[in-house]
Amino acid sequence: MPTTAAATSDENLALIRRSYRAFHERDVAALLGTLHPEVEWVHPDGMAEYGLGGTKHGHAGVREFLSRVPAVLGGMRLEPQEFVASGDRVVVFGVRQVTSVRGTTKTLPFIHSWTLRDGVAVRMEDIFDTVVFRRLIES
């Protein structure tokens, strides 16, 4: 029988996988269902010029962030490749297919660091190369 820690890690992994599935399906309600109502949604400050940088707070902040994405990108698809769980943390290594509004598509790596508590994500931090991402937005 799995230990409580192992069971919690499995539950955390399942929750984070559901969040990516919801994002892929553009199901904002399902995505928000995986997030604490006061979640911290963190992106590099280097993206602030596009309304995509800094920390957004709560479901309203996540909705605001998601509503900005189509204004600066033609499309984006996340492809998580590796999930590492330890205690209340899940770190995801992956790539995203990002298309500029002008139609240029590039594959860019990302690291997402998730913190969970009581069966929901309380923090998600997106880590990526903002210089490359900004060049794509401007291309």
Side-chain angles (χ1 to χ4, degrees):
M1 176 164 237
T3 66
T4 303
T8 301
S9 288
D10 288 346
E11 292 165 3
N12 288 345
L13 281 169
L15 177 84
I16 298 308
R17 288 180 190 278
R18 281 197 314 272
S19 72
Y20 285 102
R21 203 166 30 256
F23 186 84
H24 175 72
E25 295 170 358
R26 301 194 191 296
D27 186 342
V28 175
L31 174 62
L32 294 177
T34 67
L35 307 176
H36 188 277
E38 298 302 320
V39 67
E40 291 181 314
W41 189 259
V42 184
H43 291 265
D45 288 335
M47 299 303 292
E49 176 183 341
Y50 306 103
L52 302 177
T55 302
K56 309 297 186 225
H57 296 277
H59 287 180
V62 173
R63 277 192 203 96
E64 174 192 339
F65 174 86
L66 294 174
S67 72
R68 286 286 309 142
V69 173
V72 296
L73 295 175
M76 180 168 55
R77 179 179 172 90
L78 298 175
E79 298 176 14
Q81 297 175 325
E82 182 181 356
F83 294 79
V84 180
S86 178
D88 65 353
R89 301 290 299 270
V90 175
V91 177
V92 180
F93 299 87
V95 295
R96 61 180 120 217
Q97 302 295 322
V98 183
T99 302
S100 72
V101 293
R102 292 177 188 88
T104 302
T105 300
K106 294 206 184 254
T107 301
L108 306 174
F110 70 80
I111 299 169
H112 288 164
S113 175
W114 297 84
T115 304
L116 299 103
R117 186 176 64 236
D118 300 326
V120 291
V122 295
R123 180 179 172 89
M124 191 289 298
E125 183 172 1
D126 191 358
I127 303 159
F128 59 90
D129 185 336
T130 59
V131 172
V132 173
F133 207 102
R134 290 171 61 96
R135 283 184 190 144
L136 177 61
I137 289 172
E138 300 299 325
S139 67

